[in-house]
Amino acid sequence: MVNSCKKVITAIIAAIMLFTLSPLASVKTEAASVGESIVTYGKKFMGVPYVFGGTTPNGFDCSGFTQYIYKHAAGVSLPRTTDQQYKVGTSVVKSDLQPGDLVFFANTYRQGISHVGVYAGGNMVLNATSSDGIALVSLNNSYWGPKYAGAKRIVNEPEWFTDVAKSETTYEAIKTLTDKEVITGFEDYTFRPEAKVTRGQAAAIINRVLNIKPEVMSHFKDVPKSYRFAYDIAAMREAGIITGFADKTYRPDEEMTRNEMASIIQRAFELKMSQTAAASVTYKDISASHWAYEGVVTMASIDKTGLFTGEKFYGTHNATREAFTVAIYNAMNAQ
């Protein structure tokens, strides 16, 4: 019973983690795709009445509705009329429909392409109907089904993060860890390599690799069991990888320095500093007597990306998502 409850808790925590994101080609994003966001926004207008020529929440016609939600949910400008909207985008076969695709119908109130809606998933279309206003209709509906005339994809999701060039030396490290869902991206298709890493996030990222199961969920007075990274923080504490402070706090939202990152990752992956490495790594901003020296030298000696080259390590600077990803990638490949 305890183990099953723990699994449930773990699953819930995993579902809401900051970096736990849904796959989209090689990109993982935290929230919905752009198409799903358009549908979610459009559903806010369910029940708004149909008005011929309407283009506002006071009343929509079919193309006025699609134009409005595309503009306000995704910043995409569509032509005004149904037949004009039918001329844009990329044709999509019915079996490949995705949320946000424009779905067209023919021979409704006039001959030819005469009605448009947005595919909402589950064989449903969100559209402005003359009878119910903004509503969901099934593609199997006896009226709408036979009038289906095709679909267009307006928004193509990026296949890679928009802020990480494939030519970057850190690309392979970031791609490897995002593919493994160790550290992932954000709903706007960015990785944000310069964003900082907190102590809570560090615990979660490392534990996605090590998969350590804690015996006790609560160790720190500032980490309640409901905290999104409580499971991983407990695991790191019990393993002696990331410990707390004298006042019995963990400070999960405190940002981590590069020195702390190096020391923690060395402990987590049980990396040993070789004498050869100590002789070859000559940072000017850290001495052999420094508490993080072995971790820093180890990070530099196993680096496969070149990120940690140079005369200084800048250990007192905050660790970025890029640096943390590279450090984890190097550690995983040093085993």
Side-chain angles (χ1 to χ4, degrees), residues 198-325:
T198 67
R199 287 169 52 83
Q201 292 166 353
I205 294 166
I206 292 173
N207 205 34
R208 286 179 203 146
V209 179
L210 302 183
N211 194 29
I212 299 171
K213 297 176 175 59
E215 296 297 324
V216 180
M217 280 290 291
S218 181
H219 292 287
F220 305 103
K221 63 184 184 182
D222 60 343
V223 183
K225 292 180 181 180
S226 59
Y227 183 69
R228 59 187 176 186
F229 301 139
Y231 181 88
D232 302 297
I233 289 170
M236 294 297 98
R237 186 265 185 192
E238 290 180 12
I241 295 171
I242 310 178
T243 55
F245 297 89
D247 61 358
K248 296 184 180 180
T249 64
Y250 181 83
R251 304 174 195 173
D253 298 321
E254 187 173 286
E255 292 175 348
M256 178 171 289
T257 68
R258 285 162 63 97
N259 281 336
E260 291 169 332
M261 173 192 74
S263 183
I264 287 166
I265 291 177
Q266 184 192 26
R267 284 200 298 273
F269 292 88
E270 299 179 348
L271 303 172
K272 305 297 182 183
M273 182 189 75
S274 68
Q275 293 304 312
T276 302
S280 62
V281 178
T282 56
Y283 288 128
K284 293 181 178 180
D285 57 348
I286 190 168
S287 66
S289 61
H290 193 279
W291 62 268
Y293 178 73
E294 287 195 15
V296 168
V297 169
T298 302
M299 286 300 97
S301 65
I302 65 173
D303 182 27
K304 301 178 183 299
T305 69
L307 185 67
F308 298 126
T309 59
E311 295 182 343
K312 295 182 179 181
F313 183 70
Y314 300 102
T316 59
H317 291 195
N318 286 331
T320 63
R321 282 168 50 84
E322 179 181 52
F324 206 87
T325 300

Side-chain angles (χ1 to χ4, degrees), residues 151-168:
K152 293 294 187 72
R153 183 159 300 154
I154 307 301
V155 179
N156 290 310
E157 314 291 0
E159 294 184 356
W160 181 243
F161 299 119
T162 58
D163 57 350
V164 178
K166 293 185 178 181
S167 59
E168 293 286 344

Side-chain angles (χ1 to χ4, degrees), residues 116-129:
V116 63
V118 175
Y119 186 67
N123 214 36
M124 303 296 286
V125 177
L126 182 66
N127 67 138
T129 68

Side-chain angles (χ1 to χ4, degrees), residues 53 129 138 179 189 298:
T129 68
S138 172
D179 284 347
Y189 301 94
T298 302

